[in-house]
Amino acid sequence: MKKLIAGNWKMNGDSASNAELLAGIVAGLPGLDACDVLVCPPSVYVASAVTALAGQPVAVGGQDVSVQVKGAYTGEVSAVMLRDVGATYAIVGHSERRQYHGETDALVGEKAQAALAHGITPVVCIGETLAQREAGETNAVVKRQLAAVIHAVGHCVSELVLAYEPVWAIGTGQTATPEQAQAVHAVIRAQIAAATEHPERVRILYGGSMNAANATQLLAQPDIDGGLIGGASLKVADFLTIIRAAQG
């Protein structure tokens, strides 16, 4: 199974800078086809990214998805809408959504199920805060968050992409050591193996400040199947360096 390198642009970019970023990524991709590549721009730029990447080996996803299909839900974007404009993935349950929008484990599970129901692959984020890690609760927190998603999606577990993102390492400059990251990925892998007959189909990405400097060591770990990249995905050279590190 190919590794997956996914760029989460968060609330960054505009039409001009996005076009420049995508053009730079595309220009640097020849010869780097041993991993899958995904970019997740803000929702207003998803359609234009799909157009810019037509015929290129780069998928486009949303940064969130609604549990609703349509209706009076101001500000929401449904999986049907994402699919309609050409997106194939959606980030679900990112720690910033959990922190700033109060998303619960149950809601994250519902969003994953809604995405799958309409042909969108959810990239489900799970991970602990610094306080939880220091209290020795990392494994319990991650397993609880993942259990809610497994419960919601039922037999579709093997269609998920997971991203372990230690909250304390997102945008802080801190990063879990390769050994710390691998230990949690192994816990996640075991939980998935108990939930589906096809655990090998589930890619588990690392999402805690992976960058050009640390990607090679992190991606060398046996249970790390790629990266969910934040700030480094906005820099062509850095993003391509991470993609290069994922070539295996």
Side-chain angles (χ1 to χ4, degrees):
M1 179 173 55
K2 289 184 177 181
K3 285 182 165 56
L4 171 64
I5 300 300
N8 175 14
W9 294 4
K10 305 192 179 184
M11 197 171 70
N12 293 293
D14 55 40
S15 295
S17 64
N18 293 350
E20 182 179 358
L21 174 59
L22 292 173
I25 292 170
V26 168
L29 280 180
L32 302 180
D33 55 359
C35 77
D36 293 326
V37 180
L38 165 67
V39 294
C40 297
S43 60
V44 295
Y45 298 120
V46 168
S48 60
V50 170
T51 299
L53 293 167
Q56 301 297 333
V58 182
V60 179
Q63 295 180 10
D64 185 33
V65 67
S66 177
V67 298
Q68 308 297 337
V69 175
K70 63 179 180 179
Y73 303 101
T74 301
E76 295 285 279
V77 176
S78 72
V80 173
M81 292 173 176
L82 288 173
R83 188 73 189 186
D84 181 53
V85 298
T88 51
Y89 289 81
I91 299 171
V92 174
H94 191 278
S95 63
E96 291 157 2
R97 298 291 310 178
R98 294 176 188 259
Q99 179 180 353
Y100 302 134
H101 299 272
E103 293 194 2
T104 63
D105 295 345
L107 178 60
V108 172
E110 291 174 15
K111 288 188 171 191
Q113 193 279 330
L116 288 171
H118 298 286
I120 296 290
T121 298
V123 180
V124 181
C125 301
I126 55 179
E128 82 284 9
T129 65
L130 181 59
Q132 289 167 334
R133 171 166 280 274
E134 290 179 340
E137 298 171 353
T138 294
N139 290 354
V141 169
V142 168
K143 291 168 75 172
R144 184 198 75 221
Q145 293 172 338
L146 181 53
V149 176
I150 292 171
H151 175 75
V153 304
H155 66 279
C156 296
V157 171
S158 63
E159 298 174 40
L160 299 171
V161 173
L162 301 175
Y164 168 56
E165 46 161 26
V167 180
W168 50 273
I170 299 173
T172 63
Q174 298 186 68
T175 309
T177 66
E179 294 76 19
Q180 287 174 322
Q182 165 58 28
V184 181
H185 277 242
V187 170
I188 296 169
R189 181 83 65 197
Q191 189 171 358
I192 288 296
T196 176
E197 295 179 358
H198 300 286
E200 74 284 353
R201 297 179 184 175
V202 181
R203 290 186 281 198
I204 309 172
L205 315 182
Y206 176 71
S209 294
M210 182 182 286
N211 56 47
N214 61 31
T216 297
Q217 283 187 305
L218 286 164
L219 292 168
Q221 302 304 308
D223 289 305
I224 296 182
D225 303 319
L228 179 60
I229 317 301
S233 71
L234 300 172
K235 303 172 184 176
V236 172
D238 288 4
F239 196 51
L240 289 172
T241 295
I242 296 169
I243 293 170
R244 199 170 293 113
Q247 294 302 294

